[in-house]
Amino acid sequence: MAGRRKSQRIEPSFQREDEYDDDDLRIDEEDRVTRSATRKSKPASRKAATASRRKAPARKHRRSGGGGLFGAVRFLTYWCVVLGIWGGMAIGALVLYYGAQMPSATTWNIPARPPNVKIISTDGTVIANRGGTGGEALSLEQMSPYIPQAVIAIEDRRFYSHFGIDPLGLARAMVTNVTTGRMVQGGSTLTQQLAKNLFLSPERTLERKVQEVLLAFWLEHKYSKDEILAMYLNRVFFGSNAYGVEAASRRYFNKSARDVNLGEAAVLAGLLKAPSRLSPARDPEAAEERAQVVLGTMRDAGFVTEREITTAMSQPPTRAKSYWSGAEHYAADLVMDQVPKLVGDITEDLVVETTVDLDLEKKADEAITAIIDAEGPKLNASQAALVSIDGTGAIRALVGGRDYAESQFDRASKAKRQPGSAFKPFVYAAALEMGRSPQSVRNDAPVRIGKWTPENYDQKYRGEVTLSSALANSLNTIAAQLVMEVGPDTVIKLAHRLGIESEMQSNASIALGTSEVSLVELTSAYAPFMNGGYKATPHIIRRISTAEGKVLYENTYDNPPRVLQPEIVAMMNGMMTRVITEGTGKNAKIPGWEAAGKSGTTQSFRDALFVGYTSNLTTGVWFGNDDGKSMKKVTGGGLPAKAWSRFMTAAHEGLSPSPLFGTAGGGIPMAGADPAAPAGREDESLAEMVARALGTSSRDGGGEAVAIPDRTGGIEGDLPVPPADVGEQPARPRRSSLLDVLIGG
């Protein structure tokens, strides 16, 4: 029992132990199973992972091999985006940096276009444009429509669609330049080119390019496309000092940009690539070749049709002289010399109305050219000049030289030369004012004044002659005697009164025109003989106005002073008609018209002149050489008289003939004695005339005797020495003697 109890005690305990152990066992078993499974699974996982890692590269390789193009594109796209971002940031930084160097946009203004001076003739025709641009500004509506079309087609076809810069055009230019290996196209738009021309220097730097783009954006924001295009076309350089389409059109085609045809517009647009190299004045063939390229682009852009291009290409190549041609440009230059003196600095566009008649201008140019081309080479005469004025002094025609394209120097208004015998009318007019008449008689014989012995052109002497005959035959001895009678100062005063402005030497040789004058002033001084005795101040400008019509200047030469009495004018006209009808100016005759004038020839035939007039015009002509070389016996009655007659005949074509002032168509009666001469003085000797002029004549009742020249030219006493040679005035010691006063010693 005890054992059973024990057994019972132990058994429950055992039983509990068994139960515990069984539970524990179960747990341990499960745990072991779980751990065992875990332990068994971990190696499998590691193997699987290892196997997976070993297989992964293979799978990746297979994926790369299958999507290589997509991967390359994705790679390139990625880096393009990255580089684009960085590039954009860099460009933005550059824009900010260089933009910061520029003034504030609020201060930006379009620079004023250099003022233009439009010079027009009496009928409103444009003679020339002068100024910094060489032409006036035109709106798009005023110019030929072919011009903007041609420029857009060749320079910026997307002009009306871009915003100042043209990315597509820039990209296209880059591709073209890369594929050709040289600079073939430019990427700048017309707006960029305008910005560069208006604000920037031509240097090619990154800073300038950035600023150009910024300014292009500003222009596009502030102005319309048409305004930008008009500004560009009116300012762009076309070569030959022509800025803007109007200046270029007149330069190359001698017409306004309003009248330019398709072919000419293509030439102008083609010039923009290389204005000097493609100039039709320099290389007409190259200009035409470039124009055909422009026409092709116009067709591609839809501006013109194939038929229009065929017509344009069939026209002969445009040819232009190497410089502005035409004598009217001498007149235009003279206008520009005077405008600042009349209105001050030119700060705005001006319109200058001139007195020039373009028809007469062309006739004058033709007359000069015809004579000098026909006879100039064989007679060694290379240059000529002509000026023609009316009775008020208005310059109707002016030719400053043989060819303006070769030489722009104006020999009519700027050159001063000795007039020779063409100065004698002033000597005779002074004598008439002192009481002489055309019928006064003087002795044509050798005369000595000091050591000066004036001789006639033909070295012959005619004895007793009237003043009228002496002037008609241009006798030097008689002119010298008259100067001694009236005094050099009296002659000079009369010449100044009539219009000679140059300083003249008061000496005896002034009788033969040794003091230099311009052709313009000499001609204007003849005009009082034509108009009845009134001063004719030479002028070429009638009115100056602004482009808006405000009058800034208007001449006041409509009420000139009287400078000669009518009777003197009438006598001079009668005398000078004989120069043409029977004297040295026979080559100057005008069929059906009464004309008067005087020839002039200087020492050694360096200069030859003829100045004459009808009742309508006074015209002066000069022939000679710029270097002063002698011509081959060319006198004023030769080439100058022929050119004068040719021009005046053309100028008077279609007009009704009218007589000169005071002649009534028949000249002044030359018969009879000199009613104005004091009694008993027609037979005075030269010495007696001199003595009487100084109040020392014995006939006047007192004074000391003076040296009396004999009939053979000998001279008694110690008289001062006048100029040693006609036309030269060497320095000599001052001497206070009788003739010092008369010869300017």
Side-chain angles (χ1 to χ4, degrees):
M1 184 165 187
R4 191 172 46 194
R5 280 189 194 108
K6 183 177 179 182
S7 171
Q8 290 177 344
R9 286 194 298 269
I10 296 172
E11 185 175 353
S13 174
F14 178 79
Q15 186 67 29
R16 288 193 295 271
E17 186 177 352
D18 284 345
E19 292 176 359
Y20 174 82
D21 289 339
D22 288 341
D23 294 334
D24 184 54
L25 176 63
R26 285 195 296 274
I27 293 172
D28 290 340
E29 284 295 322
E30 291 174 3
D31 184 61
R32 281 196 297 273
V33 171
T34 302
R35 292 175 182 173
S36 175
T38 301
R39 284 195 297 271
K40 290 179 180 180
S41 65
K42 284 183 178 179
S45 298
R46 284 195 296 270
K47 292 178 181 179
T50 302
S52 176
R53 285 194 297 271
R54 291 174 180 173
K55 292 178 181 179
R59 286 196 299 271
K60 183 177 180 181
H61 179 70
R62 284 195 298 271
R63 285 197 300 269
S64 298
L69 180 61
F70 175 77
V73 171
R74 185 173 62 181
F75 177 81
L76 291 175
T77 302
Y78 169 79
W79 282 108
C80 285
V81 171
V82 171
L83 292 176
I85 293 173
W86 281 104
M89 293 174 62
I91 292 174
L94 285 174
V95 170
L96 289 175
Y97 174 76
Y98 288 125
Q101 313 299 317
M102 301 174 67
S104 172
T106 58
T107 64
W108 295 355
N109 288 299
I110 298 294
R113 187 174 183 269
N116 177 70
V117 179
K118 182 166 69 173
I119 304 169
I120 61 178
S121 65
T122 53
D123 64 357
T125 303
V126 175
I127 295 175
N129 284 280
R130 290 287 189 269
T133 59
E136 61 182 312
L138 300 180
S139 65
L140 291 183
E141 293 75 19
Q142 291 176 312
M143 66 182 68
S144 166
Y146 293 124
I147 294 177
Q149 291 173 358
V151 171
I152 288 175
I154 195 66
E155 291 291 319
D156 189 0
R157 194 177 300 181
R158 288 169 45 82
F159 172 73
Y160 279 101
S161 61
H162 62 63
F163 49 89
I165 62 172
D166 185 7
L168 294 179
L170 182 61
R172 182 176 62 251
M174 291 178 61
V175 171
T176 302
N177 294 336
V178 169
T179 55
T180 59
R182 58 191 179 91
M183 288 294 296
V184 177
Q185 293 184 3
S188 294
T189 64
L190 292 180
T191 311
Q192 288 176 264
Q193 294 180 44
L194 176 62
K196 177 180 66 176
N197 292 337
L198 290 177
F199 301 104
L200 303 173
S201 64
E203 59 182 348
R204 296 184 177 183
T205 63
L206 182 59
E207 177 181 4
R208 190 202 61 79
K209 196 67 178 178
V210 170
Q211 292 176 345
E212 177 186 300
V213 171
L214 293 175
L215 290 167
F217 289 153
W218 176 77
L219 287 170
E220 292 278 347
H221 172 73
K222 191 172 179 65
Y223 299 95
S224 69
K225 288 287 188 179
D226 285 350
E227 289 174 328
I228 291 173
L229 183 57
M231 282 191 286
Y232 176 83
L233 292 175
N234 281 307
R235 295 170 184 254
V236 68
F237 180 58
F238 285 94
S240 295
N241 201 34
Y243 291 83
V245 292
E246 177 69 5
S249 178
R250 292 194 178 277
R251 166 65 183 91
Y252 297 118
F253 314 129
N254 196 28
K255 64 168 64 174
S256 171
R258 299 173 176 87
D259 306 318
V260 164
N261 60 35
L262 175 58
E264 293 164 342
V267 171
L268 292 179
L271 281 169
L272 298 176
K273 181 180 180 181
S276 298
R277 181 171 58 85
L278 298 175
S279 167
R282 177 178 180 180
D283 192 340
E285 287 72 23
E288 182 65 18
E289 183 179 347
R290 177 64 176 170
Q292 293 184 6
V293 174
V294 174
L295 291 172
T297 62
M298 293 180 71
R299 176 193 55 210
D300 297 340
F303 289 130
V304 295
T305 64
E306 187 67 37
R307 183 176 181 180
E308 289 176 307
I309 291 180
T310 301
T311 302
M313 287 185 173
S314 65
Q315 297 172 348
T318 300
R319 295 185 179 274
K321 288 190 176 182
S322 58
Y323 203 87
W324 282 270
S325 60
E328 66 271 15
H329 291 287
Y330 288 113
D333 290 346
L334 180 59
V335 168
M336 289 305 297
D337 287 342
Q338 296 183 5
V339 167
K341 301 175 184 177
L342 300 176
V343 299
D345 294 336
I346 302 173
T347 59
E348 59 182 322
D349 285 1
L350 299 178
V351 178
V352 180
E353 301 173 47
T354 71
T355 61
V356 175
D357 184 325
L358 269 184
D359 182 55
L360 292 180
E361 184 74 20
K362 292 177 181 178
K363 291 176 179 177
D365 195 11
E366 292 170 359
I368 289 294
T369 302
I371 296 299
I372 205 167
D373 285 350
E375 303 186 51
K378 64 182 179 181
L379 297 177
N380 194 34
S382 62
Q383 279 295 350
L386 180 151
V387 61
S388 185
I389 66 175
D390 66 13
T392 68
I395 296 175
R396 298 303 187 188
L398 183 141
V399 180
R402 176 180 183 178
D403 188 349
Y404 187 84
E406 294 180 358
S407 172
Q408 294 80 55
F409 178 67
D410 182 3
R411 297 156 186 83
S413 65
K414 290 184 170 60
K416 289 192 175 184
R417 302 175 185 275
Q418 295 179 351
S421 293
F423 189 82
K424 288 178 181 176
F426 309 118
V427 176
Y428 281 79
L432 294 181
E433 287 190 335
M434 294 289 287
R436 310 301 180 265
S437 81
Q439 289 298 89
S440 296
V441 177
R442 296 291 181 272
N443 185 31
D444 177 23
V447 176
R448 290 188 59 189
I449 304 175
K451 293 183 180 180
W452 179 47
T453 305
E455 295 180 344
N456 294 326
Y457 167 72
D458 57 5
Q459 296 182 337
K460 297 179 181 179
Y461 301 96
R462 294 158 179 80
E464 300 287 332
V465 294
T466 63
L467 298 189
S468 179
S469 296
L471 181 60
N473 292 283
S474 196
L475 301 181
N476 293 336
T477 60
I478 304 302
Q481 292 179 47
L482 292 178
V483 167
M484 299 305 294
E485 290 183 35
V486 303
D489 286 340
T490 302
V491 175
I492 291 173
K493 288 178 181 178
L494 181 137
H496 283 320
R497 194 168 78 229
L498 268 58
I500 299 292
E501 296 182 350
S502 297
E503 182 180 354
M504 292 178 281
Q505 298 296 321
S506 180
N507 53 44
S509 66
I510 196 173
L512 306 187
T514 56
S515 292
E516 296 181 342
V517 298
S518 72
L519 184 62
V520 168
E521 60 183 328
L522 179 64
T523 304
S524 67
Y526 270 62
F529 301 132
M530 174 190 75
N531 65 24
Y534 294 93
K535 186 172 184 178
T537 303
H539 59 281
I540 196 171
I541 296 176
R542 188 169 65 87
R543 183 183 295 115
I544 302 175
S545 308
T546 65
E548 292 73 27
K550 179 182 177 182
V551 177
L552 303 179
Y553 166 82
E554 192 162 9
N555 74 47
T556 56
Y557 297 117
D558 53 352
N559 189 25
R562 175 173 287 280
V563 292
L564 283 177
Q565 292 303 313
E567 58 272 18
I568 302 298
V569 175
M571 287 189 286
M572 287 300 302
N573 286 343
M575 295 170 70
M576 284 198 283
T577 55
R578 294 186 62 189
V579 173
I580 293 178
T581 58
E582 58 186 87
T584 59
K586 292 179 181 179
N587 285 326
K589 292 179 180 179
I590 307 175
W593 281 83
E594 186 177 32
K598 185 67 185 75
S599 59
T601 310
T602 63
Q603 188 179 22
S604 302
F605 305 100
R606 293 192 182 99
D607 304 280
L609 305 94
F610 188 87
V611 185
Y613 51 93
T614 63
S615 56
N616 292 320
L617 293 173
T618 300
T619 300
V621 179
W622 165 86
F623 273 73
N625 296 298
D626 287 338
D627 57 7
K629 288 184 178 179
S630 299
M631 295 177 287
K632 294 180 179 179
K633 295 186 177 181
V634 175
T635 65
L639 299 186
K642 292 179 181 179
W644 187 92
S645 175
R646 189 184 186 100
F647 165 71
M648 293 290 273
T649 300
H652 288 76
E653 186 176 357
L655 301 178
S656 299
S658 57
L660 292 172
F661 179 87
T663 65
I668 296 295
M670 295 301 170
D674 181 0
R681 288 190 176 175
E682 281 304 311
D683 58 348
E684 286 181 322
S685 67
L686 177 60
E688 183 61 28
M689 295 174 189
V690 173
R692 180 173 50 78
L694 295 178
T696 59
S697 173
S698 58
R699 294 188 182 184
D700 290 336
E704 298 178 357
V706 295
I708 301 175
D710 58 29
R711 288 289 181 181
T712 61
I715 193 166
E716 301 174 1
D718 184 18
L719 293 178
V721 180
D725 194 7
V726 175
E728 298 182 7
Q729 301 162 16
R732 58 187 183 276
R734 181 73 179 178
R735 303 181 66 179
S736 299
S737 59
L738 175 62
L739 288 184
D740 282 342
V741 177
L742 297 180
I743 66 174

